[in-house]
Amino acid sequence: MIDLREWLDTVDGLGELHRVKAEVDWNEEMAAVSYLAASQEGAPALLFEKVKGYPAGRRVLFNAIGTSLSRIAVAMGMAPGQTAMAMIREARERLKRRIEPVEVAEGEAPVNQNILEGDRVDVTAFPAPKMWPLDGGRYIGTADVIITRNPDTGVLNMGTYRQMIQDSQHVGLYLSPGKDAKLHLQRAWQQGKPLEVAACWGIDPLLLIIGSQGFPKNLCEYEFAGGVKGEPLAVVKGRVTDLLFPAHAEVVAEGIIRPESVRSEGPFGEFTGYYGRPEAETPLMEVQAIHHRNDPILTSALMADYPACEQSLFFSIIRSARIWDDLDRMGIPGIQGVYVHPAAAGGFGMVTVSIEQRFAGHAQQVAALAAQCPGGAYYTKWIVVVDEDVDPSDTDQVIWAMATRCNPIDDIDILRNTWSTWLDPTQNPPEDRPYGSKALINACKEHKYQQIFSRRTTITRGMYQRARERWQELGLAGEPPEPRAFEDFQNLQNMQSVSRRLEEFSGM
Ligand SMILES: Cc1cc2nc3c(=O)[nH]c(=O)nc-3n(C[C@H](O)[C@H](O)[C@H](O)COP(=O)(O)O)c2cc1C
């Protein structure tokens, strides 16, 4: 399994890594530079090599994935240069595999090059950024993974949750309702016990991709990370906890959250492009040991409006794959493609499913299930179903379908009181959160009138071939795009009978 450093070398080889050698301040400047750079699609990953007030070697990575499909491909062990839909298909296959992690000895784990315990623990020794002007503090964990153990079943969970520095030995841990670590914490506290935590603050981007997705609660995400890569993840046992964490991580903090221990945290500029809920109490982690590699790299994720929001594009790929898989596992036929739009609140807000309509009510069934399946239920507000001749990843085509095949009064349904988050800016007053709502938009040709629905203007396959062959002779650059639909003259009888009826009607 490659680690962050190998990933950086590969990405550097692709010309997609920019090393910032000049000194930059952790206090808003690093995040501001990242925001401006990443606001342009295709921006490189940014490695800040000299942070003000810190020795050289204490580095911070921003925009690791950003809007680059190639950087996602490298993280997931795929070939760079594929389209989003091709990557979604491949991600589905890779996520079906599960490979258990292997435990390595303490001395074999690069993360154990330095181990600090007791009084030597100081989280402020790492150049954690303060991101936005109104943030409540410095966030040391954003592109991170947090390891906890289910007190009932013993299953380990790896989830991405933010962490704000409270003081040199304490960090806050923000957990949304229903998230695995939150459930572990609630159960441990019910039992009057502390929860053990291992916070990994510098990681291989694959772990961020996997850790930020909801997987079945009885399975450990390490197995999915191994499955995606096709080899087991190396993990190592903690010094002060019974947890296993990635052996190749850059920085890992181990500690506990004591029963009912909370402290005020936030606000934080969020994936929605707004500050989240106002300052509130969140669980307080007491850091008891820190492990780090020599010259450690913190991995930071800027949360912002698109395209500067770090989670946008990889959420698009991986959530699309998860939702498609959920629909498949439920046995829903006719699914041609699923696409989560990266610009919709960090890829959380909108999903489009393309189907071949096979029966009455099929489109409505797909919309309702895509809205509520495990891979798609959290936050998603807009669920659009389109026919098979519409590429769900082509926003122009989806909008065209919504404008020509959807009649809002008949084709939009609303689900109320659904799974959402304290971070949704539309739910006010904030105390009313975290319930959400979802619009199911049927932008398919009406099933009932499919046969007589206005015929789409398309060219014949023969004419496409002819134009393709003559493309250069006609002086046109490149190659013509391949249309998703061709005129096949099927069901023309119906159309002709409709136009006859229309003629009769107009002659009356
Ligand atoms: C960069 C980033 C930061 C995130 N921060 C948080 C957070 O602070 N709290 C939270 O509950 N979810 C956060 N999420 C979303 C969770 O990672 C996601 O819901 C995931 O499913 C949680 O893991 P779990 O399903 O094992 O609980 C974040 C996601 C990303 C990509």
Side-chain angles (χ1 to χ4, degrees), residues 157 160-162 174 176 179-180 212-214 221 303 311:
N157 183 71
T160 296
Y161 318 106
R162 74 181 193 224
Y174 174 73
S176 283
K179 296 296 163 187
D180 290 9
S212 57
Q213 306 305 310
E221 281 83 355
M303 302 279 102
Q311 69 178 54

Side-chain angles (χ1 to χ4, degrees), residues 3-15 17 19 74:
D3 61 8
L4 175 64
R5 294 178 188 217
E6 287 174 61
W7 180 88
L8 281 168
D9 286 346
T10 311
V11 162
D12 202 6
L14 294 174
L17 176 67
R19 295 172 192 276
V74 175

Side-chain angles (χ1 to χ4, degrees), residues 185-456:
L185 185 74
Q186 286 167 337
R187 183 47 57 96
W189 285 7
Q190 274 169 7
Q191 296 169 349
K193 294 182 188 154
L195 182 75
E196 292 187 339
V197 179
C200 312
W201 292 329
I203 51 168
D204 172 353
L206 174 66
L207 301 185
L208 170 67
I209 292 173
I210 299 295
S212 57
Q213 306 305 310
F215 287 96
K217 299 203 181 302
N218 55 343
L219 298 174
C220 176
E221 281 83 355
Y222 285 160
E223 297 180 18
F224 292 95
V228 166
K229 274 289 169 65
E231 55 182 294
L233 179 75
V235 292
V236 64
K237 177 77 64 62
R239 263 283 170 94
V240 298
T241 64
D242 192 31
L243 300 169
L244 293 165
F245 47 80
H248 291 256
E250 295 285 323
V251 187
V252 175
E254 284 186 274
I256 53 170
I257 304 176
R258 296 183 191 277
E260 311 307 330
S261 174
V262 291
R263 200 178 285 174
S264 211
E265 185 259 10
F268 178 62
E270 273 294 351
F271 67 88
T272 52
Y274 300 82
Y275 289 96
R277 59 174 192 170
E279 188 179 356
E281 302 216 302
T282 55
L284 185 68
M285 175 182 171
E286 186 179 312
V287 180
Q288 298 171 327
I290 291 187
H291 309 239
H292 72 87
R293 292 172 75 151
N294 297 334
D295 295 337
I297 304 171
L298 289 182
T299 44
S300 277
L302 187 73
M303 302 279 102
D305 49 335
Y306 184 81
C309 186
E310 171 66 330
Q311 69 178 54
S312 301
L313 193 66
F314 79 79
F315 258 51
S316 167
I317 301 298
I318 203 92
R319 281 189 92 227
S320 302
R322 296 290 320 288
I323 295 169
W324 195 340
D325 220 38
D326 283 349
L327 293 170
D328 249 17
R329 264 185 286 130
M330 286 186 277
I332 309 302
I335 308 293
Q336 304 296 307
V338 176
Y339 189 69
V340 159
H341 202 288
F348 265 128
M350 176 171 176
V351 58
T352 302
V353 186
S354 161
I355 63 167
E356 180 198 349
Q357 291 191 73
R358 302 277 288 275
F359 51 88
H362 188 186
Q364 287 304 91
Q365 182 189 30
V366 168
L369 294 175
Q372 293 287 27
C373 66
Y378 183 67
Y379 192 99
T380 317
K381 295 184 177 191
W382 307 103
I383 297 93
V384 184
V385 184
V386 294
D387 290 297
E388 74 275 15
D389 62 336
V390 173
D391 176 352
S393 68
D394 184 331
T395 315
D396 294 343
Q397 284 193 28
V398 172
I399 290 173
W400 171 76
M402 287 170 70
T404 61
R405 297 180 182 179
C406 172
N407 185 18
I409 195 159
D410 295 322
D411 296 325
I412 299 182
D413 288 306
I414 306 287
L415 303 182
R416 293 167 207 279
N417 292 318
T418 54
W419 190 21
S420 188
T421 159
W422 293 103
L423 309 175
D424 179 358
T426 66
Q427 307 295 315
N428 287 304
E431 307 81 76
D432 286 354
R433 301 175 191 171
Y435 303 95
S437 66
K438 301 178 188 302
L440 312 183
I441 301 175
N442 182 348
C444 294
K445 287 180 270 187
E446 277 170 295
H447 183 266
K448 201 184 248 173
Y449 300 114
Q450 225 176 355
Q451 300 299 329
I452 60 161
F453 199 91
S454 297
R455 204 166 181 87
R456 175 180 180 166

